[in-house]
PDB file of all heavy atoms in Angstrom:
ATOM      1  N   ASN A  61      88.024 -18.841  97.616  1.00 96.00           N
ATOM      2  CA  ASN A  61      89.012 -19.768  98.166  1.00 96.00           C
ATOM      3  C   ASN A  61      89.151 -19.494  99.651  1.00 96.00           C
ATOM      4  O   ASN A  61      89.630 -18.443 100.032  1.00 96.00           O
ATOM      5  CB  ASN A  61      90.352 -19.584  97.434  1.00 96.00           C
ATOM      6  CG  ASN A  61      91.398 -20.494  98.002  1.00 96.00           C
ATOM      7  OD1 ASN A  61      91.162 -21.346  98.828  1.00 96.00           O
ATOM      8  ND2 ASN A  61      92.637 -20.248  97.569  1.00 96.00           N
ATOM      9  N   ASP A  62      88.765 -20.477 100.474  1.00 94.00           N
ATOM     10  CA  ASP A  62      88.996 -20.353 101.895  1.00 94.00           C
ATOM     11  C   ASP A  62      90.080 -21.200 102.406  1.00 94.00           C
ATOM     12  O   ASP A  62      90.271 -21.385 103.622  1.00 94.00           O
ATOM     13  CB  ASP A  62      87.698 -20.626 102.688  1.00 94.00           C
ATOM     14  CG  ASP A  62      87.269 -22.062 102.621  1.00 94.00           C
ATOM     15  OD1 ASP A  62      87.723 -22.765 101.717  1.00 94.00           O
ATOM     16  OD2 ASP A  62      86.471 -22.465 103.474  1.00 94.00           O
ATOM     17  N   GLN A  63      90.921 -21.761 101.478  1.00 95.00           N
ATOM     18  CA  GLN A  63      91.999 -22.631 101.858  1.00 95.00           C
ATOM     19  C   GLN A  63      93.373 -21.918 101.741  1.00 95.00           C
ATOM     20  O   GLN A  63      94.269 -22.345 101.015  1.00 95.00           O
ATOM     21  CB  GLN A  63      92.002 -23.898 100.980  1.00 95.00           C
ATOM     22  CG  GLN A  63      90.731 -24.695 101.131  1.00 95.00           C
ATOM     23  CD  GLN A  63      90.537 -25.224 102.521  1.00 95.00           C
ATOM     24  OE1 GLN A  63      91.425 -25.787 103.138  1.00 95.00           O
ATOM     25  NE2 GLN A  63      89.343 -24.975 103.060  1.00 95.00           N
ATOM     26  N   ILE A  64      93.494 -20.777 102.388  1.00 96.00           N
ATOM     27  CA  ILE A  64      94.718 -20.005 102.305  1.00 96.00           C
ATOM     28  C   ILE A  64      95.372 -19.978 103.710  1.00 96.00           C
ATOM     29  O   ILE A  64      94.698 -20.205 104.744  1.00 96.00           O
ATOM     30  CB  ILE A  64      94.458 -18.551 101.844  1.00 96.00           C
ATOM     31  CG1 ILE A  64      93.415 -17.895 102.674  1.00 96.00           C
ATOM     32  CG2 ILE A  64      94.075 -18.612 100.346  1.00 96.00           C
ATOM     33  CD1 ILE A  64      93.317 -16.408 102.434  1.00 96.00           C
ATOM     34  N   ARG A  65      96.601 -19.650 103.719  1.00 96.00           N
ATOM     35  CA  ARG A  65      97.396 -19.630 104.951  1.00 96.00           C
ATOM     36  C   ARG A  65      98.295 -18.389 104.992  1.00 96.00           C
ATOM     37  O   ARG A  65      98.650 -17.850 103.912  1.00 96.00           O
ATOM     38  CB  ARG A  65      98.304 -20.855 105.058  1.00 96.00           C
ATOM     39  CG  ARG A  65      97.575 -22.186 104.927  1.00 96.00           C
ATOM     40  CD  ARG A  65      96.888 -22.562 106.238  1.00 96.00           C
ATOM     41  NE  ARG A  65      96.227 -23.828 106.163  1.00 96.00           N
ATOM     42  CZ  ARG A  65      94.915 -23.976 105.908  1.00 96.00           C
ATOM     43  NH1 ARG A  65      94.168 -22.968 105.669  1.00 96.00           N
ATOM     44  NH2 ARG A  65      94.368 -25.186 105.893  1.00 96.00           N
ATOM     45  N   PRO A  66      98.721 -17.947 106.166  1.00 97.00           N
ATOM     46  CA  PRO A  66      99.717 -16.917 106.208  1.00 97.00           C
ATOM     47  C   PRO A  66     100.943 -17.220 105.374  1.00 97.00           C
ATOM     48  O   PRO A  66     101.382 -18.363 105.364  1.00 97.00           O
ATOM     49  CB  PRO A  66     100.073 -16.827 107.726  1.00 97.00           C
ATOM     50  CG  PRO A  66      98.782 -17.251 108.382  1.00 97.00           C
ATOM     51  CD  PRO A  66      98.284 -18.361 107.499  1.00 97.00           C
ATOM     52  N   GLY A  67     101.356 -16.224 104.600  1.00 97.00           N
ATOM     53  CA  GLY A  67     102.509 -16.448 103.682  1.00 97.00           C
ATOM     54  C   GLY A  67     102.068 -16.628 102.274  1.00 97.00           C
ATOM     55  O   GLY A  67     102.885 -16.420 101.342  1.00 97.00           O
ATOM     56  N   ASP A  68     100.799 -16.997 102.010  1.00 98.00           N
ATOM     57  CA  ASP A  68     100.286 -17.123 100.647  1.00 98.00           C
ATOM     58  C   ASP A  68     100.230 -15.762  99.966  1.00 98.00           C
ATOM     59  O   ASP A  68     100.025 -14.720 100.658  1.00 98.00           O
ATOM     60  CB  ASP A  68      98.902 -17.755 100.624  1.00 98.00           C
ATOM     61  CG  ASP A  68      98.923 -19.260 100.948  1.00 98.00           C
ATOM     62  OD1 ASP A  68      99.999 -19.859 101.072  1.00 98.00           O
ATOM     63  OD2 ASP A  68      97.776 -19.796 101.131  1.00 98.00           O
ATOM     64  N   ILE A  69     100.384 -15.720  98.695  1.00 97.00           N
ATOM     65  CA  ILE A  69     100.330 -14.426  97.930  1.00 97.00           C
ATOM     66  C   ILE A  69      98.889 -13.920  97.910  1.00 97.00           C
ATOM     67  O   ILE A  69      97.940 -14.692  97.834  1.00 97.00           O
ATOM     68  CB  ILE A  69     100.836 -14.703  96.484  1.00 97.00           C
ATOM     69  CG1 ILE A  69     102.326 -15.032  96.487  1.00 97.00           C
ATOM     70  CG2 ILE A  69     100.538 -13.491  95.605  1.00 97.00           C
ATOM     71  CD1 ILE A  69     102.901 -15.410  95.143  1.00 97.00           C
ATOM     72  N   ALA A  70      98.812 -12.588  98.017  1.00 97.00           N
ATOM     73  CA  ALA A  70      97.505 -11.930  97.979  1.00 97.00           C
ATOM     74  C   ALA A  70      97.637 -10.712  97.078  1.00 97.00           C
ATOM     75  O   ALA A  70      98.580  -9.947  97.122  1.00 97.00           O
ATOM     76  CB  ALA A  70      97.052 -11.504  99.348  1.00 97.00           C
ATOM     77  N   GLY A  86     100.821  -8.557  97.704  1.00 97.00           N
ATOM     78  CA  GLY A  86     101.360  -8.731  99.083  1.00 97.00           C
ATOM     79  C   GLY A  86     101.220 -10.201  99.425  1.00 97.00           C
ATOM     80  O   GLY A  86     101.292 -11.080  98.580  1.00 97.00           O
ATOM     81  N   MET A  87     100.993 -10.410 100.715  1.00 97.00           N
ATOM     82  CA  MET A  87     100.811 -11.756 101.181  1.00 97.00           C
ATOM     83  C   MET A  87      99.769 -11.752 102.307  1.00 97.00           C
ATOM     84  O   MET A  87      99.478 -10.725 102.921  1.00 97.00           O
ATOM     85  CB  MET A  87     102.107 -12.358 101.677  1.00 97.00           C
ATOM     86  CG  MET A  87     102.597 -11.842 102.995  1.00 97.00           C
ATOM     87  SD  MET A  87     103.922 -12.774 103.705  1.00 97.00           S
ATOM     88  CE  MET A  87     105.293 -11.988 102.874  1.00 97.00           C
ATOM     89  N   VAL A  88      99.251 -12.964 102.571  1.00 97.00           N
ATOM     90  CA  VAL A  88      98.342 -13.137 103.728  1.00 97.00           C
ATOM     91  C   VAL A  88      99.223 -13.026 104.998  1.00 97.00           C
ATOM     92  O   VAL A  88     100.202 -13.730 105.120  1.00 97.00           O
ATOM     93  CB  VAL A  88      97.684 -14.514 103.649  1.00 97.00           C
ATOM     94  CG1 VAL A  88      96.839 -14.762 104.926  1.00 97.00           C
ATOM     95  CG2 VAL A  88      96.790 -14.582 102.404  1.00 97.00           C
ATOM     96  N   ASN A  89      98.872 -12.113 105.867  1.00 97.00           N
ATOM     97  CA  ASN A  89      99.631 -11.944 107.125  1.00 97.00           C
ATOM     98  C   ASN A  89      99.053 -12.813 108.214  1.00 97.00           C
ATOM     99  O   ASN A  89      99.805 -13.450 108.960  1.00 97.00           O
ATOM    100  CB  ASN A  89      99.593 -10.490 107.585  1.00 97.00           C
ATOM    101  CG  ASN A  89     100.257  -9.553 106.610  1.00 97.00           C
ATOM    102  OD1 ASN A  89      99.600  -8.693 106.047  1.00 97.00           O
ATOM    103  ND2 ASN A  89     101.533  -9.716 106.361  1.00 97.00           N
ATOM    104  N   ARG A  90      97.707 -12.755 108.407  1.00 96.00           N
ATOM    105  CA  ARG A  90      97.127 -13.529 109.481  1.00 96.00           C
ATOM    106  C   ARG A  90      95.607 -13.548 109.363  1.00 96.00           C
ATOM    107  O   ARG A  90      95.009 -12.670 108.733  1.00 96.00           O
ATOM    108  CB  ARG A  90      97.503 -12.958 110.850  1.00 96.00           C
ATOM    109  CG  ARG A  90      96.863 -11.595 111.102  1.00 96.00           C
ATOM    110  CD  ARG A  90      97.152 -11.069 112.507  1.00 96.00           C
ATOM    111  NE  ARG A  90      96.538  -9.788 112.673  1.00 96.00           N
ATOM    112  CZ  ARG A  90      96.150  -9.257 113.804  1.00 96.00           C
ATOM    113  NH1 ARG A  90      96.328  -9.932 114.905  1.00 96.00           N
ATOM    114  NH2 ARG A  90      95.632  -8.062 113.861  1.00 96.00           N
ATOM    115  N   PHE A  91      95.018 -14.531 109.990  1.00 95.00           N
ATOM    116  CA  PHE A  91      93.616 -14.527 110.320  1.00 95.00           C
ATOM    117  C   PHE A  91      93.507 -14.234 111.811  1.00 95.00           C
ATOM    118  O   PHE A  91      94.381 -14.598 112.583  1.00 95.00           O
ATOM    119  CB  PHE A  91      92.993 -15.921 110.118  1.00 95.00           C
ATOM    120  CG  PHE A  91      92.784 -16.234 108.678  1.00 95.00           C
ATOM    121  CD1 PHE A  91      93.736 -16.954 107.985  1.00 95.00           C
ATOM    122  CD2 PHE A  91      91.613 -15.896 108.050  1.00 95.00           C
ATOM    123  CE1 PHE A  91      93.550 -17.281 106.651  1.00 95.00           C
ATOM    124  CE2 PHE A  91      91.390 -16.218 106.736  1.00 95.00           C
ATOM    125  CZ  PHE A  91      92.349 -16.891 106.010  1.00 95.00           C
ATOM    126  N   TYR A  92      92.454 -13.523 112.226  1.00 93.00           N
ATOM    127  CA  TYR A  92      92.264 -13.277 113.654  1.00 93.00           C
ATOM    128  C   TYR A  92      90.782 -13.100 113.970  1.00 93.00           C
ATOM    129  O   TYR A  92      89.997 -12.755 113.089  1.00 93.00           O
ATOM    130  CB  TYR A  92      93.090 -12.081 114.148  1.00 93.00           C
ATOM    131  CG  TYR A  92      92.626 -10.781 113.619  1.00 93.00           C
ATOM    132  CD1 TYR A  92      91.795  -9.931 114.407  1.00 93.00           C
ATOM    133  CD2 TYR A  92      92.988 -10.312 112.388  1.00 93.00           C
ATOM    134  CE1 TYR A  92      91.337  -8.729 113.998  1.00 93.00           C
ATOM    135  CE2 TYR A  92      92.521  -9.059 111.900  1.00 93.00           C
ATOM    136  CZ  TYR A  92      91.723  -8.300 112.705  1.00 93.00           C
ATOM    137  OH  TYR A  92      91.278  -7.072 112.252  1.00 93.00           O
ATOM    138  N   LEU A 111      85.536 -13.010 112.307  1.00 94.00           N
ATOM    139  CA  LEU A 111      86.777 -13.454 111.672  1.00 94.00           C
ATOM    140  C   LEU A 111      87.261 -12.435 110.667  1.00 94.00           C
ATOM    141  O   LEU A 111      86.538 -11.972 109.810  1.00 94.00           O
ATOM    142  CB  LEU A 111      86.539 -14.813 110.986  1.00 94.00           C
ATOM    143  CG  LEU A 111      87.751 -15.450 110.316  1.00 94.00           C
ATOM    144  CD1 LEU A 111      88.819 -15.768 111.346  1.00 94.00           C
ATOM    145  CD2 LEU A 111      87.346 -16.703 109.523  1.00 94.00           C
ATOM    146  N   LYS A 112      88.504 -12.052 110.786  1.00 96.00           N
ATOM    147  CA  LYS A 112      89.123 -11.056 109.902  1.00 96.00           C
ATOM    148  C   LYS A 112      90.416 -11.596 109.294  1.00 96.00           C
ATOM    149  O   LYS A 112      91.002 -12.550 109.823  1.00 96.00           O
ATOM    150  CB  LYS A 112      89.433  -9.748 110.654  1.00 96.00           C
ATOM    151  CG  LYS A 112      88.219  -9.170 111.367  1.00 96.00           C
ATOM    152  CD  LYS A 112      87.055  -8.857 110.447  1.00 96.00           C
ATOM    153  CE  LYS A 112      85.862  -8.329 111.253  1.00 96.00           C
ATOM    154  NZ  LYS A 112      84.659  -8.394 110.473  1.00 96.00           N
ATOM    155  N   LEU A 113      90.820 -10.964 108.220  1.00 96.00           N
ATOM    156  CA  LEU A 113      92.039 -11.374 107.495  1.00 96.00           C
ATOM    157  C   LEU A 113      92.894 -10.150 107.282  1.00 96.00           C
ATOM    158  O   LEU A 113      92.388  -9.125 106.773  1.00 96.00           O
ATOM    159  CB  LEU A 113      91.591 -11.958 106.163  1.00 96.00           C
ATOM    160  CG  LEU A 113      92.606 -12.204 105.067  1.00 96.00           C
ATOM    161  CD1 LEU A 113      93.605 -13.258 105.470  1.00 96.00           C
ATOM    162  CD2 LEU A 113      91.864 -12.636 103.781  1.00 96.00           C
ATOM    163  N   ASN A 114      94.164 -10.179 107.639  1.00 96.00           N
ATOM    164  CA  ASN A 114      95.126  -9.091 107.320  1.00 96.00           C
ATOM    165  C   ASN A 114      95.988  -9.561 106.207  1.00 96.00           C
ATOM    166  O   ASN A 114      96.457 -10.703 106.189  1.00 96.00           O
ATOM    167  CB  ASN A 114      96.020  -8.771 108.517  1.00 96.00           C
ATOM    168  CG  ASN A 114      95.329  -7.972 109.599  1.00 96.00           C
ATOM    169  OD1 ASN A 114      95.588  -8.224 110.769  1.00 96.00           O
ATOM    170  ND2 ASN A 114      94.463  -7.034 109.277  1.00 96.00           N
ATOM    171  N   VAL A 115      96.184  -8.651 105.223  1.00 97.00           N
ATOM    172  CA  VAL A 115      97.125  -8.928 104.118  1.00 97.00           C
ATOM    173  C   VAL A 115      98.035  -7.708 103.940  1.00 97.00           C
ATOM    174  O   VAL A 115      97.690  -6.592 104.371  1.00 97.00           O
ATOM    175  CB  VAL A 115      96.387  -9.242 102.806  1.00 97.00           C
ATOM    176  CG1 VAL A 115      95.531 -10.477 102.920  1.00 97.00           C
ATOM    177  CG2 VAL A 115      95.542  -8.059 102.332  1.00 97.00           C
ATOM    178  N   SER A 116      99.152  -7.932 103.279  1.00 96.00           N
ATOM    179  CA  SER A 116     100.062  -6.787 103.065  1.00 96.00           C
ATOM    180  C   SER A 116      99.816  -6.116 101.704  1.00 96.00           C
ATOM    181  O   SER A 116     100.520  -5.131 101.400  1.00 96.00           O
ATOM    182  CB  SER A 116     101.500  -7.260 103.174  1.00 96.00           C
ATOM    183  OG  SER A 116     101.833  -8.211 102.242  1.00 96.00           O
ATOM    184  N   ASP A 130      93.822 -14.583  95.325  1.00 97.00           N
ATOM    185  CA  ASP A 130      95.000 -15.477  95.431  1.00 97.00           C
ATOM    186  C   ASP A 130      95.728 -15.465  94.104  1.00 97.00           C
ATOM    187  O   ASP A 130      95.344 -14.776  93.156  1.00 97.00           O
ATOM    188  CB  ASP A 130      94.616 -16.903  95.886  1.00 97.00           C
ATOM    189  CG  ASP A 130      93.786 -17.677  94.879  1.00 97.00           C
ATOM    190  OD1 ASP A 130      93.645 -17.263  93.702  1.00 97.00           O
ATOM    191  OD2 ASP A 130      93.239 -18.746  95.279  1.00 97.00           O
ATOM    192  N   ILE A 136      89.836 -14.408  97.954  1.00 97.00           N
ATOM    193  CA  ILE A 136      90.072 -14.895  99.317  1.00 97.00           C
ATOM    194  C   ILE A 136      89.410 -13.988 100.319  1.00 97.00           C
ATOM    195  O   ILE A 136      89.427 -14.284 101.523  1.00 97.00           O
ATOM    196  CB  ILE A 136      91.590 -15.060  99.577  1.00 97.00           C
ATOM    197  CG1 ILE A 136      92.333 -13.722  99.470  1.00 97.00           C
ATOM    198  CG2 ILE A 136      92.210 -16.085  98.629  1.00 97.00           C
ATOM    199  CD1 ILE A 136      93.783 -13.778  99.894  1.00 97.00           C
ATOM    200  N   PRO A 172      87.111 -12.379 105.145  1.00 97.00           N
ATOM    201  CA  PRO A 172      87.551 -13.555 104.470  1.00 97.00           C
ATOM    202  C   PRO A 172      86.452 -14.259 103.678  1.00 97.00           C
ATOM    203  O   PRO A 172      85.279 -14.204 104.036  1.00 97.00           O
ATOM    204  CB  PRO A 172      88.113 -14.470 105.578  1.00 97.00           C
ATOM    205  CG  PRO A 172      87.572 -13.932 106.800  1.00 97.00           C
ATOM    206  CD  PRO A 172      87.144 -12.482 106.612  1.00 97.00           C
ATOM    207  N   ARG A 174      85.687 -17.289 103.603  1.00 95.00           N
ATOM    208  CA  ARG A 174      84.971 -18.294 104.477  1.00 95.00           C
ATOM    209  C   ARG A 174      83.723 -17.639 105.054  1.00 95.00           C
ATOM    210  O   ARG A 174      82.667 -18.288 105.094  1.00 95.00           O
ATOM    211  CB  ARG A 174      85.889 -18.785 105.588  1.00 95.00           C
ATOM    212  CG  ARG A 174      85.185 -19.801 106.452  1.00 95.00           C
ATOM    213  CD  ARG A 174      85.983 -20.332 107.641  1.00 95.00           C
ATOM    214  NE  ARG A 174      87.404 -20.065 107.651  1.00 95.00           N
ATOM    215  CZ  ARG A 174      88.172 -20.156 108.692  1.00 95.00           C
ATOM    216  NH1 ARG A 174      87.678 -20.520 109.856  1.00 95.00           N
ATOM    217  NH2 ARG A 174      89.471 -19.959 108.654  1.00 95.00           N
TER     218      ARG A 174
END
Side-chain angles (χ1 to χ4, degrees):
N61 178 8
D62 69 341
Q63 300 299 310
I64 56 168
R65 305 281 181 264
D68 288 351
I69 293 175
M87 74 169 84
V88 174
N89 298 116
R90 68 176 179 153
F91 285 93
Y92 69 97
L111 182 62
K112 306 300 178 198
L113 167 66
N114 285 141
V115 299
S116 62
D130 66 14
I136 61 174
R174 182 183 344 164

